[in-house]
Amino acid sequence: MTASSFGIFTGLVKRDIRLAWSQGGTGTMALSFFLIAVTLFPFGVGPEPKILARIAPGVIWVVALLACLISLDRLYQADFEDGSLDDLALSPLGLSGVALAKICAHWVSTVLPLVVASPLLGLLMNLPAEAYGTMVFSLLLGTPALSLIGSMGAALTVSVRRGGVLLSLLVLPLYVPTLIFAVGAVDASANMVDPAQPLALLGAASLLALVVGPFASAQALRLALE
Amino acid sequence: MTASSFGIFTGLVKRDIRLAWSQGGTGTMALSFFLIAVTLFPFGVGPEPKILARIAPGVIWVVALLACLISLDRLYQADFEDGSLDDLALSPLGLSGVALAKICAHWVSTVLPLVVASPLLGLLMNLPAEAYGTMVFSLLLGTPALSLIGSMGAALTVSVRRGGVLLSLLVLPLYVPTLIFAVGAVDASANMVDPAQPLALLGAASLLALVVGPFASAQALRLALE
Amino acid sequence: MTQASSFTADVCPLKAEKLACFRGGRLVFEDVSFTLDPGQLLYLRGSNGSGKSTLLRLIAGFLRVQKGVLMYGDDGWWRGDAALSEAVIYAGHDNALKPVLTLRDNATELARLMTGRLVPDETLEAAADIFDMAHLLDQPVRYFSSGQRHRSNLMRFAYLKRPLWLMDEPTVGLDAENREALAGLMKDHLAAGGMIIAATHDPIGVEGQMLDMRDFQPDYDLEEGWL
Amino acid sequence: MTQASSFTADVCPLKAEKLACFRGGRLVFEDVSFTLDPGQLLYLRGSNGSGKSTLLRLIAGFLRVQKGVLMYGDDGWWRGDAALSEAVIYAGHDNALKPVLTLRDNATELARLMTGRLVPDETLEAAADIFDMAHLLDQPVRYFSSGQRHRSNLMRFAYLKRPLWLMDEPTVGLDAENREALAGLMKDHLAAGGMIIAATHDPIGVEGQMLDMRDFQPDYDLEEGWL
Amino acid sequence: MHRFANPAQFNRLADRILPWAKFVLAASLLYGLYLAFLGSPPDRQQGESVRIMYVHVPAAWMAMFCYMVVAGASFTEIVWRHPLALLAGKAAAPIGATFTALALITGALWGKPTWGTYWQWDGRMTSVLVLFFLYLGYMAIWRSMDEEDKAGRAASILALVGVINIPIIKFSVEWWNTLHQPASVLRLDGPTIDSSMLWPLLLMALAFKAYFVIVFLYRMKLEINRRKLTVLRMSQVNRR
Ligand code: HEM
Ligand SMILES: Nc1ncnc2c1ncn2[C@@H]1O[C@H](COP(=O)(O)OP(=O)(O)OP(=O)(O)O)[C@@H](O)[C@H]1O
Ligand SMILES: Nc1ncnc2c1ncn2[C@@H]1O[C@H](COP(=O)(O)OP(=O)(O)OP(=O)(O)O)[C@@H](O)[C@H]1O
Ligand SMILES: [Mg+2]
Ligand SMILES: [Mg+2]
């Protein structure tokens, strides 16, 4: 049973990564949203390097968060609409396992590319050289919380058409602590202060989300099936 | 024929406004995204009033644009998925007329509330008092272009699964001029300069979008029907 | 042969000559010809994938006529044409219902979209009665079962007064009584001089011509067909 | 009465006693009782909206059993239970296909989801052959017609080896030949000791018990039922 | 108009052009590179870094040229439904995107020694970035849709709408820039070009154009073959 569960789990993760990067998937698209939306800020705020450097960590993190958010929209929705959610519910893995697998796949296929691209945007936004390492590290540490929390929202809104915007209403407030710790860490580095403390808090947020996320998502998915 | 066309047009506008504000509609949701996302920036950037004031026009406009964008996602998608688009195509109004009606409804139901809420966010972001009038006026003048351009993107991506993020890739570059003119106008007011020139350009952008938007949307919708 | 009638648009014979349709670069059918006179019914038959739905969508003007001719009376019949969009009612696989609206509101909005006017309450209730939906008129559609949704969709044929009905698998998921109601509705329409084209796998119990789509399957030819 | 067989889970009799179901605050049916032994087929009959789909989803464990008892062998049968989710294959109105994947990949993914293993190619091809889909195995599903999609969905019954089949309107949109193929598949399953519950409006041509859902319609009572 | 809709005829034409284009590419690239790196003097203010210009400027020109090819193909497709035009746009877009990326990257590399920063939100750089996004959008639509014809027409609509945008972006951004940062307009007056620099520049531009022609023709042939493959697959779907 455990061996088969593991097979199902990895199989599901692979399936979702494959779908995310196949035609019309969210993988490439979230990345382009991230790039474009960050690029809009210099248009909006003006090109002064000093201002840009000052707001860079905040803007990059907020936009990464929004990109993650809009890609979450379809985390369960596609499976719900085409009836695959019924199949997922009948898998021996159980719905919590299914949710965890889908969250892993989302993070790997959609969020990880954002993390990889973030130094480029740091360049565009004139981020101080000292802060690059911490920014990437804070994204690696904090974004799992975004996927995990977002999964709960996505599961809750899955049976609601046009859930996308409702999703943001549910999820954004829960993102605030993660955001604050992460930006705190990057700012600390930019100002040559030790970012250990906010980073520790960030890790704690991700861990907490890991405990609650899959379970709560499964409960919400049950509701959608009813 | 003309009288009946007018009846169909207003009927369709009313239908869409009603659907947008009914349960799960985009009306309330875009508004809450706007409010929450702007609120994230003080968290991300830090609470210094000077910095906030400096970036306020840019942030408010960029987020209004993103809110508009994510609500556009479903402009035609819902009708496409449930088969209503077939009916719309068989209306004597013609697809261009249908597109224009849906754009009008989108602007009234979803964008206008953002305009109304913007002074509140100006307050949160510490916007200089001189700039409020111009900000609201620039939103009134410029957001129709957002709906019109967005309609083209929404029509192009209507048959695409997970089109939401593709939409942003198509539409955001086309939003850049509107954004630049609008922020230019608000910044001018904030710096006590006459904003007439950027405002005129902003109006021109909306007019141009009005000429191209419904027609191109109708062409794209035809494709989706095929 | 235009005929005065109770319809909002003229009824003319519909004539197809050597129609062909490409999808995704492949020829789905070719050389489809038929003539449909007022008062007549045409069944589209054929195995899954033989092109019934495709032909219906072509006639409804959703697809471009790439090859062959389609005539309504003496006029060509083309995509986006006003004559077309005033003569046709189409009901496809999807139900075109808004789940948050009640059945009455769904019907009202559709009628207004097609005519710019509201339907009188009596017309609507009579239409609902045909499919035994009168008690559901003021229920939101989201509570309906799949057959109830399908019937809600079929109701359009009863309250819109257009001459040419295009029906894609109209019997799907209907119970026996409602299949009879459907047959009755179709007979009335034909008697009033209307025309129907219906793609179906089940017998409906109304007399009509047959067009078997399997007769029009192309011998596939790469040299000609690929671009 | 557990029976050794070719299935991945044990086959036990399924027994329902006085099941009732509320949806949206309304009682959809009540007092539904039946016993289904290995090798038996149960048809759910009844007009649109009588609760066939609802009962199927209840048995599949998507809805909570709010009233009454559902037993599988000697054990209770409840939502999220491992025994349940290893015994059931469900095919509903939606096809659960990913349009970008080929039919083969769709099937492979489903099998892996249900068992953690890959299906052997021969099994898959045999399954496809039943519904005349073998030549479509390596095509992306997005090119399929509605009947072809439905057949792709039905294929799961041929390559997953679970004992209890739940089929919601399995004949919808199938042409005559494929209806026969379906009947053959069902007969084989019953002969091997499997069980089937099928909601349908069309005759399928396999012997089975009938459960008419119209017999279980509650006398609707606002006082009792509304909460 | 539809004469070259016949793929065989197109292939013949392409095969006739290709050898010439290859020759032009080899000749102009070799001589151009020689002039650019050895045969021309370093700039008085910029030193050796000026040599980036010989890649940067032709790449920027090609970025815009390719977009016009895509837009022209789109227009042809929309108005005359010419099947090869559909494929021409698809074939040209990735090349254009690559040149745009090249212009961006060389520009950024050049920026470091001259302005001390890789990236400035200056009008011209920004408008090229937006051009890059338009390319990405065009290619994304192509990738995202089920049917080739549909995808192509959708992408064509976008490409045409994008054309309207290009002059606006350039114009507006320059205006926007003067409000905040008039200093960065400096680059536009650049070093006056001496003939010792003009020649290698023109030769490199010729080489880039020849390169475009070659890759474009090969990609067209590829697309035609891919298209045949799709049709073959489709013919399988309903084989009975
Ligand atoms: C990523 C940054 C850059 C981008 C996107 C960019 C873009 C362009 C474009 C589009 C052109 C062609 C203009 C036309 O023909 O109308 C061009 C030309 C040129 N660029 Fe850049 N550029 C960048 C950085 C630089 C830098 C750093 C320099 C040097 C200081 C530079 C110097 C030039 C020169 C000298 C020309 C030729 C102007 C002429 O036509 O005479 N560029 N660039
Ligand atoms: N989500 C829901 N909320 C409330 N009521 C519902 C919901 N889904 C279905 N119902 C109601 O439950 C009843 C039974 O629906 P069900 O779908 O089971 O019918 P059915 O027998 O399958 O009919 P059909 O033949 O039309 O498929 C219907 O009256 C329907 O209105
Ligand atoms: N979007 C599409 N792209 C390419 N091919 C398609 C597309 N839609 C349908 N086809 C193909 O066209 C053919 C005809 O499909 P159509 O839906 O018209 O069949 P049908 O006769 O209605 O079958 P069914 O009885 O299954 O509904 C099928 O072979 C299908 O594969
Ligand atoms: Mg069909
Ligand atoms: Mg049902």
Side-chain angles (χ1 to χ4, degrees), chain C residues 17-80:
Chain C
E17 258 170 52
K18 292 194 159 287
L19 284 180
C21 185
F22 294 88
R23 294 213 79 167
R26 190 180 75 83
L27 196 54
V28 177
F29 54 74
E30 60 179 357
D31 285 339
V32 173
S33 305
F34 63 83
T35 307
L36 189 68
D37 287 321
Q40 284 191 337
L41 163 61
L42 178 71
Y43 284 113
L44 303 185
R45 280 275 146 102
S47 44
N48 295 138
S50 55
K52 302 180 295 299
S53 304
T54 306
L55 181 58
L56 277 181
R57 292 185 68 81
L58 187 76
I59 298 172
F62 301 140
L63 302 176
R64 231 166 9 102
V65 177
Q66 294 149 302
K67 226 175 140 185
V69 190
L70 204 52
M71 305 275 294
Y72 190 63
D74 298 327
D75 301 323
W77 172 268
W78 68 89
R79 197 160 83 139

Side-chain angles (χ1 to χ4, degrees), chain A residues 49-123:
Chain A
K50 258 201 179 157
I51 296 274
L52 286 181
R54 173 69 190 75
I55 64 173
V59 167
I60 291 176
W61 249 94
V62 169
V63 175
L65 196 151
L66 295 175
C68 180
L69 188 83
I70 63 171
S71 67
L72 279 167
D73 184 14
R74 309 243 358 135
L75 185 58
Y76 302 105
Q77 192 105 37
D79 285 326
F80 176 73
E81 282 170 7
D82 67 14
S84 305
L85 196 59
D86 292 349
D87 291 340
L88 293 175
L90 284 178
S91 162
L93 190 56
L95 269 180
S96 302
V98 166
L100 187 59
K102 289 186 77 77
I103 294 166
C104 288
H106 176 263
W107 191 79
V108 173
S109 66
T110 309
V111 181
L112 199 55
L114 305 186
V115 180
V116 174
S118 61
L120 180 67
L121 292 179
L123 211 70

Side-chain angles (χ1 to χ4, degrees), chain D:
Chain D
M1 231 200 86
T2 304
Q3 185 180 319
S5 72
S6 61
F7 299 120
T8 52
D10 293 339
V11 193
C12 305
L14 181 73
K15 201 162 164 177
E17 257 170 53
K18 292 193 159 289
L19 284 179
C21 184
F22 295 88
R23 295 211 79 167
R26 191 177 73 84
L27 195 55
V28 177
F29 53 75
E30 58 180 358
D31 286 338
V32 172
S33 306
F34 63 85
T35 307
L36 187 68
D37 287 321
Q40 284 193 335
L41 163 61
L42 177 72
Y43 284 115
L44 304 184
R45 280 274 143 101
S47 44
N48 297 136
S50 55
K52 300 181 295 299
S53 303
T54 306
L55 181 57
L56 278 180
R57 292 183 70 81
L58 188 76
I59 298 172
F62 300 141
L63 302 176
R64 230 158 12 97
V65 176
Q66 294 149 303
K67 229 175 139 185
V69 190
L70 204 51
M71 304 277 291
Y72 190 64
D74 298 328
D75 303 322
W77 173 268
W78 66 91
R79 197 160 81 142
D81 183 18
L84 182 156
S85 63
E86 281 175 15
V88 166
I89 318 179
Y90 170 87
H93 291 293
D94 300 317
N95 289 322
L97 299 167
K98 299 289 171 197
V100 289
L101 300 185
T102 61
L103 177 53
R104 187 189 300 278
D105 288 346
N106 267 295
T108 310
E109 296 291 357
L110 180 64
R112 192 160 57 176
L113 179 68
M114 292 302 174
T115 64
R117 279 181 300 275
L118 300 174
V119 262
D121 270 350
E122 312 85 70
T123 317
L124 209 59
E125 270 149 31
D129 249 349
I130 297 176
F131 292 108
D132 191 19
M133 303 282 286
H135 62 291
L136 296 176
L137 265 179
D138 291 307
Q139 300 299 327
V141 165
R142 60 169 180 261
Y143 294 136
F144 291 9
S145 78
S146 66
Q148 287 165 338
R149 278 169 211 242
H150 188 59
R151 275 145 61 190
S152 314
N153 191 28
L154 290 177
M155 262 176 60
R156 64 175 59 195
F157 292 107
Y159 63 80
L160 296 177
K161 300 282 170 219
R162 292 178 172 195
L164 177 56
W165 293 4
L166 303 177
M167 313 174 104
D168 201 351
E169 312 207 16
T171 59
V172 154
L174 289 193
D175 52 28
E177 289 155 43
N178 285 297
R179 286 189 193 197
E180 266 167 46
L182 176 68
L185 185 67
M186 289 167 71
K187 279 180 195 153
D188 290 348
H189 181 62
L190 296 175
M195 303 187 288
I196 305 180
I197 307 182
T200 178
H201 295 288
D202 300 310
I204 301 190
V206 187
E207 286 282 297
Q209 294 171 253
M210 288 284 178
L211 195 73
D212 196 325
M213 296 302 293
R214 271 170 301 189
D215 302 342
F216 309 107
Q217 299 301 299
D219 307 318
Y220 186 69
D221 187 352
L222 188 68
E223 292 314 305
E224 284 193 303
W226 77 274
L227 256 186

Side-chain angles (χ1 to χ4, degrees), chain A residues 16-225:
Chain A
D16 264 40
I17 294 180
R18 180 174 173 192
L19 286 172
W21 282 89
S22 72
Q23 181 206 44
T26 50
T28 41
M29 299 305 174
L31 185 60
S32 53
F33 176 87
F34 184 52
L35 296 176
I36 296 176
V38 170
T39 328
L40 283 183
F41 277 91
F43 288 112
V45 171
E48 283 156 61
K50 258 201 179 157
I51 296 274
L52 286 181
R54 173 69 190 75
I55 64 173
V59 167
I60 291 176
W61 249 94
V62 169
V63 175
L65 196 151
L66 295 175
C68 180
L69 188 83
I70 63 171
S71 67
L72 279 167
D73 184 14
R74 309 243 358 135
L75 185 58
Y76 302 105
Q77 192 105 37
D79 285 326
F80 176 73
E81 282 170 7
D82 67 14
S84 305
L85 196 59
D86 292 349
D87 291 340
L88 293 175
L90 284 178
S91 162
L93 190 56
L95 269 180
S96 302
V98 166
L100 187 59
K102 289 186 77 77
I103 294 166
C104 288
H106 176 263
W107 191 79
V108 173
S109 66
T110 309
V111 181
L112 199 55
L114 305 186
V115 180
V116 174
S118 61
L120 180 67
L121 292 179
L123 211 70
L124 290 183
M125 294 290 291
N126 205 20
L127 188 74
E130 300 76 29
Y132 279 87
T134 315
M135 184 185 66
V136 173
F137 189 63
S138 75
L139 282 167
L140 277 176
L141 204 61
T143 46
L146 301 186
S147 288
L148 286 156
I149 297 172
S151 155
M152 294 189 275
L156 271 175
T157 55
V158 74
S159 54
V160 181
R161 245 160 266 279
R162 310 188 216 188
V165 212
L166 176 58
L167 179 67
S168 60
L169 187 58
L170 297 180
V171 161
L172 282 183
L174 295 175
Y175 278 177
V176 168
T178 311
L179 178 66
I180 292 177
F181 299 143
V183 175
V186 186
D187 273 345
S189 292
N191 301 326
M192 316 278 191
V193 180
D194 180 22
Q197 195 201 355
L199 283 178
L201 287 169
L202 193 61
S206 275
L207 273 181
L208 190 64
L210 181 63
V211 174
V212 181
F215 180 73
S217 304
Q219 292 303 317
L221 287 177
R222 284 241 165 277
L223 281 179
L225 283 171

